[in-house]
């Protein structure tokens, strides 16, 4: 665990798990959920990992941060010559995620309750949008140096199966690279209030 702190609403905690290769990261996420549930049970508590346990507060997310390196370990998302250091490969990765997101949604939102979280104004996406450090979008680009340039895939809730959600996030991005898919324009400002023309809506 890299960090643990309270979040919006009663009983809501955010745990940041240290980065790792994607399969190990999924293993860590499953292990974390299992340990937390067990520790809670021993104390007579419930750790539910529901996406939305009350309509009064924002939901509980399971955001995935993704970076991508070549065989030499160099970031393929970073290009200092471009705006926000976004490489052409990163743009194609975003394009693939954006286009496949509605079809892959069930891999990140597996239960009826999962969709109660995806409502306007509650820090969960309602369209397959992307933006630079924009938390109202489904895909948030986090600008940084070659080691920290990454994508935050903000679709999954706390109830998602990490293996399936991470597979969806990675596979759609790699498909975007293979097919050279161009994303829509990045959203600036509040994505909930943007017209987002031609951007797919989420269920």
């Amino acid at each position: 665990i890299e960090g643990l702190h309270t979040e919006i609403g009663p009983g809501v905690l955010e745990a940041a798990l240290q980065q790792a290769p994607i399969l190990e990261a999924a293993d860590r996420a499953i292990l974390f959920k299992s340990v937390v549930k067990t520790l809670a049970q021993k104390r007579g508590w419930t750790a539910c990992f529901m996406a939305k346990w009350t309509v009064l507060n924002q939901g509980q997310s399971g955001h995935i941060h993704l970076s991508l390196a070549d065989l030499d370990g160099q970031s393929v998302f970073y290009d200092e010559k471009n705006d926000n250091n976004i490489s052409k490969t990163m743009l194609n990765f975003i394009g693939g995620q954006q286009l496949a997101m509605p079809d892959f949604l069930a891999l990140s939102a597996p239960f009826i309750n999962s969709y109660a979280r995806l409502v306007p104004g509650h820090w969960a996406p309602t369209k397959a949008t992307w933006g630079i450090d924009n938390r109202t979008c489904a895909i948030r680009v986090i600008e940084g140096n070659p080691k920290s340039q990454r994508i935050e895939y903000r679709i999954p809730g706390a109830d998602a199966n990490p293996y399936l959600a991470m597979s969806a996030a990675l596979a759609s991005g790699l498909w975007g690279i293979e097919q050279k898919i161009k994303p829509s324009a990045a959203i600036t400002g509040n994505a909930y209030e943007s017209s987002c023309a031609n951007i797919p809506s989420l269920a």
Side-chain angles (χ1 to χ4, degrees):
I1 298 175
E2 198 170 68
L4 183 68
H5 59 85
T6 55
E7 263 284 1
I8 300 171
V12 180
L13 299 171
E14 177 178 303
L17 304 184
Q18 192 176 42
Q19 76 274 10
I22 195 160
L23 184 57
E24 183 181 347
D27 289 341
R28 288 180 180 184
I30 284 287
L31 184 60
F32 171 78
K33 288 173 117 176
S34 299
V35 168
V36 168
K37 286 180 180 180
T38 301
L39 291 175
Q41 264 186 339
K42 287 183 176 181
R43 288 159 177 77
W45 304 340
T46 299
C48 66
F49 289 99
M50 286 179 70
K52 188 88 166 179
W53 74 273
T54 172
V55 295
L56 301 177
N57 293 314
Q58 283 81 357
Q60 286 66 247
S61 64
H63 298 161
I64 300 168
H65 289 243
L66 291 155
S67 58
L68 193 64
D70 61 22
L71 294 177
D72 295 321
Q74 301 301 309
S75 171
V76 297
F77 281 175
Y78 182 87
D79 189 339
E80 62 183 3
K81 301 186 208 71
N82 295 342
D83 292 342
N84 305 110
N85 300 324
I86 297 176
S87 69
K88 182 181 177 184
T89 300
M90 188 178 197
L91 277 178
N92 292 150
F93 194 93
I94 293 166
Q97 286 186 324
Q98 188 178 38
L99 194 58
M101 194 173 286
D103 291 328
F104 277 11
L105 187 57
L107 297 177
S108 295
F111 304 109
I112 292 172
N113 179 260
S114 309
Y115 296 86
R117 174 179 154 264
L118 305 178
V119 294
H122 278 217
W123 303 109
T126 55
K127 289 194 171 188
T129 52
W130 77 280
I132 310 299
D133 200 21
N134 190 336
R135 288 178 169 85
T136 65
C137 292
I139 302 165
R140 172 185 167 221
V141 170
I142 300 173
E143 181 185 357
N145 58 45
K147 290 189 175 181
S148 62
Q149 181 94 357
R150 63 192 188 276
I151 286 169
E152 182 184 29
Y153 192 75
R154 296 174 57 81
I155 297 296
D159 57 350
N161 179 314
Y163 297 102
L164 297 180
M166 289 185 192
S167 294
L170 179 62
S172 58
L174 294 178
W175 174 65
I177 293 173
E178 291 170 354
Q179 301 298 319
K180 296 181 170 55
I181 298 171
K182 293 181 180 179
S184 66
I187 299 292
T188 57
N190 190 334
Y192 302 118
E193 296 173 355
S194 173
S195 63
C196 301
N198 301 320
I199 296 179
S201 293
L202 304 176

